[in-house]
Amino acid sequence: MPAKWTSITVPAIGPVTPFRPDLIVLLTDGSLLIHNGFVTTVDEARHWARLTPDAQGRYETGTWTGPFDMGFARQWFASGVTKKGHVFVIGGEHSNDPASPNDSATGEIFDPLTNTWTMVNKPAAFDFIRGDCNGTVLANCKVLMGAPDPNPDPPANWPKRTAIWDPDADTWMEAGMKFGTLAATTKTDSFEEETFALLPNGEVLVPAVRDMPQAQRYDPVLDEYVACAPCPVNLAVQNLKGAEVFETGPTIVLPDGKAFVIGGTGQTALFTPGHNPVGPGSWTAGPVFPNDTSGLGNWPTLTALDAPAALLPNGKVVVLAGTTAPDAGDFFSQNPQFLEFDPQSGAAVMPLLAHQPASPPFPNNNFTWQCCFQILPTGELLCSTQTDHLFLYTPDPAGAAPHHSWRPANIQVPHRMQQGQSYRLEGTQLNGLSQAATYGDDAGMSTNYPIVRLEHPATGKVAYLRSHGF
């Protein structure tokens, strides 16, 4: 069966019509928590909906519920899933928070058992985590976060501060200061549109954007940022026709542990951490994006100026790219195209998505920043476009299977289980080998936690069990 695209019409969610998804978070029970994008008025960004797959595990014919509204509307923020299976959102470049209508410093947590949001207890001393901030859930289930300065000073004064939030203990501390033994952070470059990527050893890769080609890694054991070797390619355009263009693309960790770093420039690189936790690691240049044939002439290749990427189960990476076009005094990537990176191919130029059927009908002049990806438990790729349609990519089954060594193994569960009770699941690689789906800086949808799916051998009916405490 060849690969295919399926268009999913998003219904009205209660009084919210049209509901226009952007961020898609996979909950630990297999359902999707989907954010309504700010398209017309900022208040639209209060709403979330939930999509639950049907009895055969299909999402395109699943059930929609909601809306489940936050206390404040917010657009472009740090987000992720805690060890309890809750969803957090921190910040918001746009908000209706009366204390800070733009660059909100507040946060909220969603409880999937009650479908309700509650405010995060965030001390005012950490209000530097605000606006279009970025975050990643660490292996110890604490959250590393950073944010740009909403009121930029001269470059020498741009902030380098980051924070660690422990959702379980409800505590905050400043990161990179060797647990308070230093007077200032060990982060050397300013936090500006940077992408975080959780590496297999628990460190977080943070390539510089303002201070290219520098890069660092955050080591949570040492609470220290350590220097990496310089990146071999430019990740940010920086200046284009009088505009500052510092948006970059996402970073995807591959099954072999290398980080595939996608620049906003249409250039890519692969980072290998190495065995020494404070060593520099190493880089190699990756493939470049195809030439831009639009005729606009703003940039020679396609670009990923705020764009999603995802790791398919077969180990290939799908990324959105587009033509560099002006947008509100800046430049972003318009009229998206799906590209595919195959780590085994060695190609110098990244091709269009292999065996790609006709691409989904993106709205005219849609930008990559309006789109988010999520990898579903079915192995399919779901794409949002801030419209009332989602697009589901089903790979060709002949080439969709993962390598056997990537699968969870040594799984142990009780032989007899009863509905409504909690049980301990043990095994290896239950959290996967990658965060799987990323956007870049200010939209988190990583899936480094177990998804438990049961299938009846006779009827084919599917049920998901909520995982927590991982």
Side-chain angles (χ1 to χ4, degrees):
M1 181 179 72
K4 67 176 183 178
W5 284 102
T6 303
S7 179
I8 303 173
T9 300
V10 180
I13 307 298
V16 185
T17 180
F19 190 95
R20 293 177 284 209
D22 50 21
L23 178 65
I24 306 168
V25 179
L26 176 63
L27 300 180
T28 66
D29 66 355
S31 65
L32 303 175
L33 187 66
I34 302 178
H35 181 245
N36 189 46
F38 165 24
V39 176
T40 307
T41 63
V42 70
D43 191 62
E44 297 168 331
R46 293 175 58 232
H47 309 308
W48 294 76
R50 197 162 174 177
L51 174 57
T52 302
D54 67 15
Q56 279 67 47
R58 294 191 294 258
Y59 288 83
E60 59 269 38
T61 49
T63 302
W64 291 83
T65 52
F68 309 117
D69 291 352
M70 291 185 287
F72 297 131
R74 54 188 87 232
Q75 183 75 49
W76 309 126
F77 42 75
S79 51
V81 176
T82 72
K83 68 182 296 184
K84 291 181 179 179
H86 297 176
V87 176
F88 69 85
V89 298
I90 305 284
E93 185 173 3
H94 309 289
S95 176
N96 63 2
D97 177 357
S100 49
N102 292 300
D103 295 303
S104 174
T106 65
E108 302 183 48
I109 294 182
F110 178 78
D111 184 342
L113 296 181
T114 61
N115 287 321
T116 56
W117 292 90
T118 56
M119 299 300 296
V120 171
N121 181 26
K122 183 167 171 284
F126 290 87
D127 279 357
F128 62 88
I129 303 298
R130 62 189 304 128
D132 59 332
C133 53
N134 191 8
T136 191
V137 180
L138 302 173
N140 60 13
C141 293
K142 299 177 182 180
V143 184
L144 173 69
M145 282 183 278
D149 188 347
N151 302 298
D153 296 312
N157 296 330
W158 279 333
K160 302 177 176 65
R161 301 173 72 188
T162 54
I164 294 287
W165 172 48
D166 185 339
D168 279 347
D170 194 22
T171 58
W172 292 75
M173 77 169 203
E174 189 156 351
M177 300 177 66
K178 294 188 176 181
F179 302 105
T181 62
L182 300 179
T185 180
T186 49
K187 196 174 191 304
T188 58
D189 56 293
S190 57
F191 192 98
E192 177 68 22
E193 308 292 346
E194 291 182 336
T195 298
F196 286 166
L198 183 66
L199 299 172
N201 63 3
E203 296 179 329
V204 178
L205 177 65
V206 191
V209 175
R210 289 279 180 177
D211 302 328
M212 296 187 309
Q214 304 306 315
Q216 288 186 291
R217 302 190 313 280
Y218 175 72
D219 186 331
V221 175
L222 303 175
D223 185 33
E224 179 181 12
Y225 286 89
V226 297
C228 299
C231 182
V233 303
N234 289 330
L235 299 177
V237 172
Q238 292 199 323
N239 294 287
L240 180 60
K241 298 186 176 181
E244 289 191 336
V245 185
F246 285 98
E247 306 290 352
T248 61
T251 295
I252 291 286
V253 173
L254 304 175
D256 64 3
K258 295 180 181 179
F260 179 54
V261 181
I262 301 165
T265 55
Q267 298 187 76
T268 71
L270 290 128
F271 176 74
T272 302
H275 299 293
N276 185 347
V278 296
S282 61
W283 292 88
T284 56
V288 299
F289 284 10
N291 289 335
D292 180 7
T293 59
S294 68
L296 292 181
N298 292 317
W299 196 255
T301 66
L302 299 178
T303 53
L305 300 168
D306 265 353
L311 179 69
L312 297 177
N314 62 9
K316 298 178 182 179
V317 176
V318 177
V319 61
L320 269 192
T323 293
T324 304
D327 182 30
D330 205 337
F331 283 87
F332 288 94
S333 305
Q334 194 174 42
N335 296 322
Q337 299 183 50
F338 290 85
L339 306 182
E340 181 180 66
F341 169 61
D342 182 352
Q344 306 301 318
S345 74
V349 177
M350 198 181 307
L352 293 176
L353 183 58
H355 313 298
Q356 177 175 299
S359 291
F362 281 108
N364 290 334
N365 301 320
N366 198 239
F367 286 92
T368 60
W369 64 259
Q370 295 176 279
C371 306
C372 289
F373 286 170
Q374 186 56 269
I375 292 292
L376 305 180
T378 58
E380 297 168 304
L381 172 68
L382 190 62
C383 174
S384 65
T385 61
Q386 282 193 345
T387 71
D388 60 354
H389 283 80
L390 294 168
F391 300 105
L392 183 69
Y393 176 70
T394 305
D396 183 345
H403 192 276
H404 66 87
S405 66
W406 304 342
R407 299 177 184 273
N410 306 310
I411 295 175
Q412 298 181 47
V413 294
H415 292 293
R416 298 180 64 86
M417 293 183 284
Q418 187 173 353
Q419 189 170 352
Q421 301 298 312
S422 293
Y423 297 94
R424 183 175 179 85
L425 169 68
E426 298 184 38
T428 55
Q429 297 186 170
L430 294 179
N431 294 328
L433 301 177
S434 172
Q435 292 179 301
T438 65
Y439 173 87
D441 59 329
D442 46 15
M445 68 288 290
S446 299
T447 58
N448 46 328
Y449 40 84
I451 299 292
V452 183
R453 181 179 188 269
L454 305 182
E455 183 174 340
H456 195 286
T459 66
K461 286 190 175 182
V462 168
Y464 288 92
L465 309 184
R466 186 178 71 91
S467 65
H468 56 92
F470 40 81

